Amino acid sequence: MAGHSKWANIRHKKAKEDAKRSKIFTKHIKELTVAAREGGGDPDGNPRLSLAIDNAKADNVPKDNIERAIKRGTGEDSDGASYEEATFEGYGPGGIAYFIEVTTDNNNRTVSDIRHIFTKHGGNMGTTGSVGYMFEQKGMIQIPSEGLSDEEFMLEAIDAGASDVDTDDEMFVVYTTREELFEVRNRLEEAGYTIESATLIREAVTETKVDEDTAVSNLKMMEKFEENDDVNNVFTNMLMDDETIALAENL
């Protein structure tokens, strides 16, 4: 998973830079609202909400905004938009598979926007299930690696229930099953580790290696998806070598 891990870290750094803008705040507000609506406003009894609160705090979302989003989700505050979650599937340049997660207050608008981006950049929006089988949902936890022993951390992460661990220059990336993300995250935090983020991802079961031109075309399309206010996550089965990843980092 080394290539996947490295690209995940690049995207995470870019997301942290985006925190200077309002989009990342909006993304957190939507997730908090939906999590509270589905599982209640008590984070102790709602793992998804607990993770959403921690991730929002990590990106410096103000406490008042967090509390207001939770109240909106539980119905205590009826002011504001009503959000629903949806997914879209399709293919990008070179036949690269895409799985896109959104949270929207206007599904018709979002469908139109997603289809337009696919078409404009040489891709095709598919039907539900057209590529979903190519992806497996997992938990991913990112922990700053500075000052930590690789071997010691890996052993502790496995003991905590991790299914796999990757290392990069700045980050440990811990993978879990979908069901165990919350528990593994808590165990690592209790062990004294600083959690940078903990979230569910969709990892490609089989990846497709691309050349530089195909990678650039897909990265430009991915960027347009991620600029859309309704889009939460964009997952692909694109496999890039180190040189192409370095190029991607500078786009």
Side-chain angles (χ1 to χ4, degrees), residues 34-187:
V34 172
R37 185 187 69 202
E38 293 192 349
D42 180 6
D44 290 334
N46 184 346
R48 179 176 177 179
L49 179 60
S50 179
L51 291 173
I53 291 171
D54 288 343
N55 289 334
K57 287 180 177 177
D59 279 331
N60 300 311
V61 177
K63 181 180 178 182
D64 288 349
N65 293 40
I66 293 174
E67 291 177 349
R68 192 157 50 246
I70 293 172
K71 288 181 179 179
R72 188 177 300 150
T74 59
E76 295 175 65
D77 182 355
S78 59
D79 185 31
S82 176
Y83 298 115
E84 62 177 297
E85 295 178 296
T87 61
F88 296 92
E89 303 172 38
Y91 290 93
I96 296 301
Y98 277 71
F99 193 99
I100 301 166
E101 298 175 341
V102 308
T103 305
T104 178
D105 60 352
N106 185 328
N107 192 60
N108 289 334
R109 178 197 66 223
T110 305
V111 170
S112 177
D113 288 347
I114 297 298
R115 180 180 287 112
H116 175 72
I117 294 171
F118 268 119
T119 302
K120 185 176 181 180
H121 292 270
N124 294 285
M125 189 164 82
T127 57
T128 300
S130 58
V131 304
Y133 68 93
M134 300 182 185
F135 296 86
E136 180 183 4
Q137 196 169 37
K138 295 183 176 182
M140 184 177 76
I141 304 166
Q142 293 183 305
I143 294 174
S145 59
E146 183 177 1
L148 300 177
S149 163
D150 288 10
E151 183 176 355
E152 181 179 344
F153 176 80
M154 286 185 181
L155 289 173
E156 290 201 29
I158 296 299
D159 285 344
S163 56
D164 199 1
V165 182
D166 269 344
T167 61
D168 201 351
D169 294 337
E170 300 178 11
M171 205 78 65
F172 288 119
V173 183
V174 177
Y175 296 95
T176 74
T177 64
R178 180 188 188 283
E179 296 78 15
E180 294 184 332
L181 171 62
F182 183 68
E183 289 300 324
V184 174
R185 178 230 176 273
N186 284 352
R187 289 170 191 154

Side-chain angles (χ1 to χ4, degrees), residues 7-21:
W7 176 235
N9 285 341
I10 290 170
R11 293 183 66 192
H12 182 67
K13 291 173 192 173
K14 287 186 176 183
K16 296 297 282 187
E17 292 169 3
D18 287 344
K20 299 172 184 176
R21 305 196 296 268

